[in-house]
C-alpha cells in the first residue's frame, strides 16, 4: 500500500467517472488503511469520498492528484511556523477564547469542563464514539438501528404539530428510494436544507405508520467532504449546560485541523519506534475522530503510554532525589526504648507487625531518609506500628507528625495513641489539650492534636507549641500542611490512609521538615506491577496477617424488602450489648445535601424504627466538637446506633460494633465498601455487613456479589480493577493516584513497557538534559505541576 497505488486508484476513478469502485471496499477504506500505514497522509483520513457526489469526488481527486504530483507524498505542506517551539507552545497555552468562533461565553462553558487552554481542548477526549461509519442505501435501512445515509434533499419545510411544537420535516432520497426525516423543535433547519443539496444523515431509524423515518438525527452537508457529526465514528463528549454536542464537535474539529499539523511530538523517535506507537498528532486526532476501531485503540495506546511514562519518569526522579539526600536523622532506633511500650500493649504484635516494625527501625538507623509504604488490609493493625515509629523519633529528640484524611480519624488516632501511652506509663499530665508522658522514654513525650475545626485561638496556641518543639508527637489532618504550621525539628512524617491524599499532599507534610523520614500507610493493596509504577519511589512493608481471634465478617446483600428483617437483626445485636453503624447513601452533589439526607434518615429511624434505642447522627457539616462528642458517646457505649454519612469510611475503630448496615450500597465502589466493612469485626464478636441497594445497575450488582464472596482486600483490589474494565476513567483523583485519562491500570503489558522505556531513558539521560529530551522533560514537569495544582 503506497502513495503510488493511491495515484493509480484515483486515475482509475477518473477514467471511470468516479463510481467509487476502483478499489475493493471503496476509496475510504483504502485511505484509512493507507493513512494508518503512512502517517504523513493523515489529512486524507477524513475525506469521506463515498459521501461525495460525482462533482465533489472529481474536485477532491484532482486536488489530491495535484498534490501527489508535487512529489513529496504530502497532501499539504506543513503549516508555517511549525517547529518554532516557543511560538507553538505559546499558542497551545493560550486560552480557548483565542480560537476562532469561541467567544468568552463559550470559553466559560468550556472552563466548567476543566478546559481552559487550547492544549486542554486537544486533550479533552470523548467518553466514547457512536459508530455511524457504515453508509447504507435508503432501501437497506433497518428499523431501530443507528445508521447513516448520503442523500439529496428533495424538500424541507417547517411544520407545527397539534401541540404547537415547531419542527422541520424533510424528504431526502438516494438512487434506491426516499425517506422522511423529522427534527423536533428545530424549525430553523428548514432553511438550511436547500433542495437538491447533498447531506449525510446519521441516526436511529424508527417506524411511523408503517413508514421508515429518521427522528432528530445528526446531519451535515456533504460539500466540505470532511465529516464531523455523521458518517464516521462520531465522538461523544462530556457536556455542560449551554454547550451542545454539535458545538463541541465543531470546535474540537477545527482546533485539531488548526493545531495538529504544528504540534511537536515530545516522545523521542527511538522510543516511539520501539514501542510501536502513533505520533502524537495522529494519536490525538484518532482519539477524537478515529478512522476505525483500530485507529481508536492505537490512539489510546499511545496516549496511555505517555501518561504512564511521564508518571514513571517523575517517580524515578523523585527516587533519585531521595537517594541523593543525606540527613542527620540517623536515629538510635534501639529496641530497648520501645520495650516498655510494646510490653504494655494488651496484645503482642503479630509476626507481620513485628517484621514491618523491624524494617522501619532498620531504615531509621540510616543517614538517609526513609520512604516506606506500609500496606496492610483494614484492621491489620497499622496504627500501633506507626506509633512505635513515632516514639522512636521522640526518643531521639525529634518531632513526629501523623496526618489522617478526616477529623474523625485524626481525633480517634489521638485518643488511641494517648490511650496506649496512658497504659504504658500509668501517668500523664494533661495541659491545654497536650498530654505529656515523662517516664516512658529517656525524655518526655508530649502528644497534641491539630485539626482545621479547632478554635482559632486554640489552634494558634497549638502551632506555637509545635514550633517551639514542646510537642513532639502531633496528630492532625490537612491542617498540618497549612501555612503557619512550622515544626522545630520534624524527624518523621506518617501519612495514614494515603490513598485519600493527592501525591503532592503526601510530599507537602515532608516539606515541613529538613529531610524527615516518611512512612505512608495504606489499606488498599494493589498488584505488584502497579505498585512498582505508582509507588516505585517507596520501599514496601506488608502486613499480610490479621491479629488473632478475628471472626470472619459475614457479608449479606439484601433486598429492600428485607430491610425490616435487617432492623430486627440490629435490634437483637444491640440487645446482646453490641453496636451498629447505619450508613446513608452517598448523594455526592454536596456535603450539605448528604447531611440533610442523613438528618432525615436519622429522624425516621429514631422515631419510627428504633424509638427504644439510643441513636446518634454524624455528618461532615457538624462542628468539630459535635462530631467529637457523638464519636465519644458511640465509643463509650452511650449510643447503640450511629447513623452516618460516608464520613466514617476510613479508619474508625470501634471494636464493640458488630453491624455495618449500608444503605444505597450500589453507589459505592468496591474499595469503599471494603473500607466500610472494615469498621466492624475489629473485636472478638461475630460481625456482619449488610448491603442494601434499591435499584442497582448490572455493574453494581456484580460489585455487591463480589463483596459478598471476597473478603481478602488484595483479591478484592484485583477484582475491582477487573470490573472497572476498559475505557472507564479510573477514579484516580479519589484514590490518590495521579489523574489518568487514558491509561488503564489493568493494562499490565503497557505498564511494563512504559516502565522499561522510562528506565532506559533515565539510565541514558537521568536529568533529561539532552536536547532531544527537552520536550519530554517539559511534558514531565507539566504533568506533575498540574498534579500539584489539582491537589
Ligand atoms: P488498621 O490497620 O486498619 O489501621 P488498626 O491499627 O486500627 O487497624 O487496628 C485495628 C484493631 O486491631 C485495633 O482495635 C487494634 O487495637 C487492634 N490490634 C492491632 N494489633 C493487634 C494485635 N497484634 N493483636 C490484637 N489486636 C490488635
Ligand atoms: Mg487505620
Amino acid at each position: 500500500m503506497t502513495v503510488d497505488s493511491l495515484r493509480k486508484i484515483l486515475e482509475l476513478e477518473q477514467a471511470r467517472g468516479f463510481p467509487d469502485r476502483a478499489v475493493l471496499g471503496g476509496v475510504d477504506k483504502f485511505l484509512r488503511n493507507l493513512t494508518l500505514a503512512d502517517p504523513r497522509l493523515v489529512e486524507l483520513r477524513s475525506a469521506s469520498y463515498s459521501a461525495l457526489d460525482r462533482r465533489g469526488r472529481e474536485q477532491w481527486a484532482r486536488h489530491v492528484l495535484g498534490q501527489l504530483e508535487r512529489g513529496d507524498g504530502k497532501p499539504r505542506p506543513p503549516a508555517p511556523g511549525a517547529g518554532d517551539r516557543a511560538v507553538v507552545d505559546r499558542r497551545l497555552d493560550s486560552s480557548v477564547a483565542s480560537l476562532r468562533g469561541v467567544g468568552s461565553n463559550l470559553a466559560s462553558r468550556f472552563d466548567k469542563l476543566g478546559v481552559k487552554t487550547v492544549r486542554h481542548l486537544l486533550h479533552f477526549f470523548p467518553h466514547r464514539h457512536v459508530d455511524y461509519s457504515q453508509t447504507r442505501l435508503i432501501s437497506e435501512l433497518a428499523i431501530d438501528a443507528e445508521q447513516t445515509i448520503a442523500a439529496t434533499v428533495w424538500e424541507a419545510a417547517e411544520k407545527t404539530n397539534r401541540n404547537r411544537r415547531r419542527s422541520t420535516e424533510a424528504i431526502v432520497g438516494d438512487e434506491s428510494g426516499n425517506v422522511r426525516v423529522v427534527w423536533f423543535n428545530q424549525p430553523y433547519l428548514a432553511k438550511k436544507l436547500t433542495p437538491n443539496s447533498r447531506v449525510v444523515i446519521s441516526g436511529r431509524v424508527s417506524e411511523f405508520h408503517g413508514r421508515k423515518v429518521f427522528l432528530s438525527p445528526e446531519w451535515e452537508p456533504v460539500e466540505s467532504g470532511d465529516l464531523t457529526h455523521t458518517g464516521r465514528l462520531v465522538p461523544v463528549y462530556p457536556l455542560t449546560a449551554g454547550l451542545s454536542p454539535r458545538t463541541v464537535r465543531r470546535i474540537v474539529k477545527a482546533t485539531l485541523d488548526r493545531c495538529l499539523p504544528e504540534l511537536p511530538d515530545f516522545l523521542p523517535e527511538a522510543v516511539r519506534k520501539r514501542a510501536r506507537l502513533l505520533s502524537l498528532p495522529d494519536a490525538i486526532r484518532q482519539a477524537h475522530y478515529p478512522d476505525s476501531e483500530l485507529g481508536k485503540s492505537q490512539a489510546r495506546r499511545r496516549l496511555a503510554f505517555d501518561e504512564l511514562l511521564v508518571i514513571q519518569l517523575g517517580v524515578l526522579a523523585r527516587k533519585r532525589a531521595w537517594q541523593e539526600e543525606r540527613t542527620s536523622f540517623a536515629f538510635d532506633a534501639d529496641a530497648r526504648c520501645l520495650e516498655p511500650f510494646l510490653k504494655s500493649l494488651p496484645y503482642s504484635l503479630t509476626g507481620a507487625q513485628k517484621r514491618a516494625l523491624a524494617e522501619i527501625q532498620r531504615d531509621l538507623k540510616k543517614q538517609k531518609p526513609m520512604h516506606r509504604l506500609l500496606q496492610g488490609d483494614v484492621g491489620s493493625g497499622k496504627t500501633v506500628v506507626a506509633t512505635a515509629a513515632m516514639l522512636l523519633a521522640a526518643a531521639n529528640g525529634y518531632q513526629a507528625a501523623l496526618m489522617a484524611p478526616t477529623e474523625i480519624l485524626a481525633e480517634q488516632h489521638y485518643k488511641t495513641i494517648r490511650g496506649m501511652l496512658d497504659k504504658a506509663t500509668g501517668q500523664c499530665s494533661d495541659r491545654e489539650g497536650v498530654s505529656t508522658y515523662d517516664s516512658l522514654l529517656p525524655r518526655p513525650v508530649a502528644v497534641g492534636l491539630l485539626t482545621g475545626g479547632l478554635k482559632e485561638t486554640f489552634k494558634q496556641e497549638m502551632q506555637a507549641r509545635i514550633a517551639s518543639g514542646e510537642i513532639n508527637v502531633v496528630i492532625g489532618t490537612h491542617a498540618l500542611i497549612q501555612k503557619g504550621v512550622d515544626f522545630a525539628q520534624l524527624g518523621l512524617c506518617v501519612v495514614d490512609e494515603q490513598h485519600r491524599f493527592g501525591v503532592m499532599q503526601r510530599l507537602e507534610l515532608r516539606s515541613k521538615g529538613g529531610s524527615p523520614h516518611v512512612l505512608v500507610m495504606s489499606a488498599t493493596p494493589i498488584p505488584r506491577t502497579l505498585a512498582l509504577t505508582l509507588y516505585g519511589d517507596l520501599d514496601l512493608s506488608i502486613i499480610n496477617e490479621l491479629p488473632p481471634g478475628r471472626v470472619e465478617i459475614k457479608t449479606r446483600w439484601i433486598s429492600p424488602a428485607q430491610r425490616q428483617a435487617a432492623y430486627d437483626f440490629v435490634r437483637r445485636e444491640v440487645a446482646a450489648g453490641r453496636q451498629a453503624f447505619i450508613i446513608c447513601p452517598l448523594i455526592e452533589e454536596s456535603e450539605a445535601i448528604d447531611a440533610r439526607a442523613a438528618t432525615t434518615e436519622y429522624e425516621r429511624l429514631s422515631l419510627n424504627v428504633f424509638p427504644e434505642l439510643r441513636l446518634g447522627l454524624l455528618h461532615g457539616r457538624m462542628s468539630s466538637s459535635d462530631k467529637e462528642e457523638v464519636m465519644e458517646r458511640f465509643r463509650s457505649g452511650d449510643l447503640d446506633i450511629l447513623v452516618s454519612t460516608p464520613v466514617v469510611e476510613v479508619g474508625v475503630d470501634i471494636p464493640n460494633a458488630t453491624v455495618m448496615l449500608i444503605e444505597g450500597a450500589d453507589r459505592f465502589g468496591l474499595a469503599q465498601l471494603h473500607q466500610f466493612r472494615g469498621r466492624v469485626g475489629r473485636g472478638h464478636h461475630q460481625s456482619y455487613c449488610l448491603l442494601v441497594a434499591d435499584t442497582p445497575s448490572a455493574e453494581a450488582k456484580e460489585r455487591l456479589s463480589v463483596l459478598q464472596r471476597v473478603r481478602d482486600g488484595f483479591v478484592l483490589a484485583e477484582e475491582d480493577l477487573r470490573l472497572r474494565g476498559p475505557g472507564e476513567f479510573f477514579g484516580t483523583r479519589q484514590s490518590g493516584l495521579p489523574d489518568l485519562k487514558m491509561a488503564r491500570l489493568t493494562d499490565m503489558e503497557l505498564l511494563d513497557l512504559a516502565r522499561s522505556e522510562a528506565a532506559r531513558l533515565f539510565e541514558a539521560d537521568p536529568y533529561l538534559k539532552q536536547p532531544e529530551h527537552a520536550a519530554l522533560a517539559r511534558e514531565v514537569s507539566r504533568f506533575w505541576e498540574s498534579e500539584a495544582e489539582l491537589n
Side-chain angles (χ1 to χ4, degrees), residues 60-87:
W60 182 83
R62 198 169 330 119
H63 172 72
V64 175
L65 281 170
Q67 282 178 325
L68 294 179
E69 209 80 321
R70 266 183 255 134
D72 58 359
K74 247 186 181 163
R76 223 182 284 166
D84 189 345
R85 196 181 47 67
V87 177

Side-chain angles (χ1 to χ4, degrees), residues 347-350 353 377-383 547 550 653 655 682:
Y347 44 76
S348 54
L349 296 185
T350 61
Q353 283 172 318
D377 209 344
V378 272
S380 61
K382 296 182 287 294
T383 316
R550 293 282 167 84
D653 186 42
R682 297 171 86 87

Side-chain angles (χ1 to χ4, degrees), residues 729-778:
F729 275 59
F730 200 82
T732 47
R733 184 122 306 283
Q734 236 193 48
S735 56
L737 307 177
D739 200 12
L740 303 176
K741 290 199 174 72
M742 285 290 183
R744 282 180 231 147
L745 299 179
T746 38
D747 192 343
M748 297 302 163
E749 183 260 346
L750 204 60
L751 276 166
D752 273 336
L753 186 64
R755 229 154 43 78
S756 69
E757 287 298 339
R760 203 164 170 152
L761 278 164
F762 201 75
E763 191 158 313
D765 182 13
Y767 295 88
L768 298 180
K769 285 237 167 82
Q770 290 164 18
E772 70 267 32
H773 296 150
L776 180 59
R778 268 196 309 282

Side-chain angles (χ1 to χ4, degrees), residues 693-707:
D694 281 312
T695 49
S697 65
E699 290 135 62
K701 282 181 183 162
E702 173 123 33
R703 277 202 301 275
L704 297 179
S705 69
V706 165
L707 191 76

Side-chain angles (χ1 to χ4, degrees), residues 127-296:
H127 291 313
R128 61 190 179 90
H129 291 86
V130 252
D131 188 354
Y132 289 142
S133 62
Q134 301 303 319
T135 309
R136 297 203 173 201
L137 289 173
I138 288 174
S139 62
E140 295 169 351
L141 288 175
I143 306 288
D144 263 357
E146 308 270 13
Q147 291 154 99
T148 298
I149 57 169
T152 305
V153 178
W154 296 133
E155 55 177 63
E158 185 183 324
K159 292 270 161 72
T160 306
N161 72 4
R162 263 178 275 136
N163 309 326
R164 307 197 145 265
R165 294 246 296 256
R166 292 154 74 214
S167 57
T168 293
E169 277 201 42
I171 303 290
V172 303
D174 64 12
E175 63 260 42
S176 74
N178 296 336
V179 67
R180 197 156 71 99
V181 189
V182 180
W183 285 275
F184 297 113
N185 304 322
Q186 300 184 57
Y188 50 86
L189 279 188
K191 289 199 185 59
K192 292 194 181 175
L193 296 160
T194 41
N196 292 319
S197 65
R198 297 272 301 163
V199 291
V200 185
I201 289 176
S202 288
R204 186 170 287 274
V205 176
S206 306
E207 194 167 61
F208 192 66
H209 292 319
R211 295 272 197 84
K212 288 172 194 164
V213 58
F214 275 102
L215 296 179
S216 295
E218 290 288 349
W219 75 280
E220 64 192 304
V222 171
E223 82 253 342
S224 63
D226 195 3
L227 296 172
T228 307
H229 311 288
T230 63
R232 50 157 37 259
L233 286 166
V234 175
V236 180
Y237 291 99
L239 295 174
T240 185
L243 208 51
S244 76
R246 245 179 131 80
T247 309
V248 178
R249 285 197 295 258
R250 181 172 51 77
I251 292 170
V252 170
K253 185 80 180 323
T255 309
L256 297 177
D257 290 343
R258 165 77 187 72
C259 299
L260 289 187
E262 62 179 30
L263 185 75
D265 195 337
F266 56 82
L267 208 55
E269 186 69 19
V271 176
R272 200 159 76 72
K273 287 238 167 76
R274 245 193 329 265
R276 288 176 295 106
L277 296 165
L278 287 187
S279 75
L280 186 60
D282 270 359
I284 291 180
R285 183 177 292 278
Q286 293 294 308
H288 290 279
Y289 284 95
D291 296 323
S292 61
E293 289 295 334
L294 178 65
K296 197 164 114 180

Side-chain angles (χ1 to χ4, degrees), residues 23 43 49 111 131 144 163 216 243 249 301 311 318 329 386 399 401 463 499 531 580 605 619 664 715 766 771:
V23 59
E43 312 199 3
Y49 187 82
D111 193 275
D131 188 354
D144 263 357
N163 309 326
S216 295
L243 208 51
R249 285 197 295 258
R301 186 164 175 278
I311 289 175
R318 212 156 57 205
F329 304 158
Q399 288 170 299
Q463 286 176 4
H499 66 283
L605 291 169
H619 62 68
V715 179

